[in-house]
Amino acid sequence: MTYRPEPDEEFSPRAEHARIPYARKRTTLRTMLLWLAALCVAAYSVQAMLPRIAPDTVRAGQQTAGQATGWRDVPPQEAAAIMEQRRGDDAFMVLDVRTPGEFSEGHLQGARNIDFTSPEFRDRVRSLNRNRTYLVYCRSGNRSGKALEVFRELGFASVLHMDGGTLAWNAAGLPLEK
């Protein structure tokens, strides 16, 4: 049943409001906006539930065999081969994230020391060139593994992590310099 105004109130403001000619369109628009909001929430929820692919997995999958770039773990023997191959290359750096005392007891040839436990570690890493390839290690691989998160957060393109640290390096019979 539709509202039919009396002839004398046809043009009165009351009659205009009583008829509400666009009420149906407003309801449709509101419904569409609610559906759109629900769709956005559903899409975000699904995206949040999907497993995250770690950047190292993506980057490691993109590199070709024999390349020493990307984000990946390398055993000590491969690290030694990469260091030999990249000797004198300005785009490559070996970083020891142990304490200065540990560093002075013995380190990989040409390594630079940035103490992971120091308060200015993040600032020192931030000052490094993000386009270089870095070989990062510590004593056992624990601190260097945590340091990788800082490198990821700061947007470094290529970081190699030496598995097992200097313990595995020594176990492989490779020399340290003092």
Side-chain angles (χ1 to χ4, degrees):
M1 178 169 167
T2 60
Y3 173 77
R4 293 186 181 243
E6 296 296 322
D8 61 333
E9 65 179 41
E10 188 170 345
F11 296 105
S12 73
R14 183 176 173 273
E16 287 297 317
H17 290 292
R19 279 188 276 152
I20 311 176
Y22 298 106
R24 183 179 176 124
K25 289 182 183 173
R26 283 190 205 145
T27 305
T28 303
L29 181 61
R30 286 181 186 149
T31 304
M32 287 186 344
L33 288 174
L34 285 173
W35 275 105
L36 181 62
L39 181 64
C40 289
V41 168
Y44 179 78
S45 299
V46 168
Q47 183 268 339
M49 288 187 292
L50 291 175
R52 299 256 184 236
I53 298 175
D56 58 339
T57 308
V58 174
R59 289 190 182 113
Q62 292 174 345
Q63 67 189 18
T64 58
Q67 273 188 326
T69 60
W71 284 80
R72 62 188 176 107
D73 293 335
V74 294
Q77 296 84 353
E78 186 178 349
I82 291 170
M83 288 171 56
E84 182 63 35
Q85 179 185 24
R86 307 273 314 252
R87 183 177 299 189
D89 185 356
D90 289 338
F92 180 75
M93 183 184 289
V94 180
L95 287 178
D96 186 325
V97 295
R98 299 178 298 162
T99 63
E102 290 174 305
F103 184 79
S104 65
E105 291 174 5
H107 55 271
L108 274 61
Q109 183 179 5
R112 290 192 185 174
N113 182 232
I114 300 179
D115 184 6
F116 177 72
T117 60
S118 79
E120 56 272 343
F121 176 76
R122 181 178 288 278
D123 293 330
R124 291 195 59 198
V125 170
R126 185 178 286 122
S127 70
L128 297 173
N129 183 349
R130 287 173 176 74
N131 296 319
R132 273 186 169 170
T133 299
Y134 294 92
L135 174 65
V136 181
Y137 73 96
C138 65
R139 181 176 172 268
S140 65
N142 185 29
R143 284 175 283 184
S144 56
K146 292 175 184 175
L148 288 180
E149 293 304 315
V150 175
F151 282 89
R152 280 192 182 99
E153 289 172 15
L154 295 175
F156 282 77
S158 179
V159 179
L160 305 173
H161 176 248
M162 188 171 76
D163 278 337
T166 56
L167 294 176
W169 183 270
N170 287 332
L174 298 166
L176 292 175
E177 70 178 29
K178 293 187 180 191

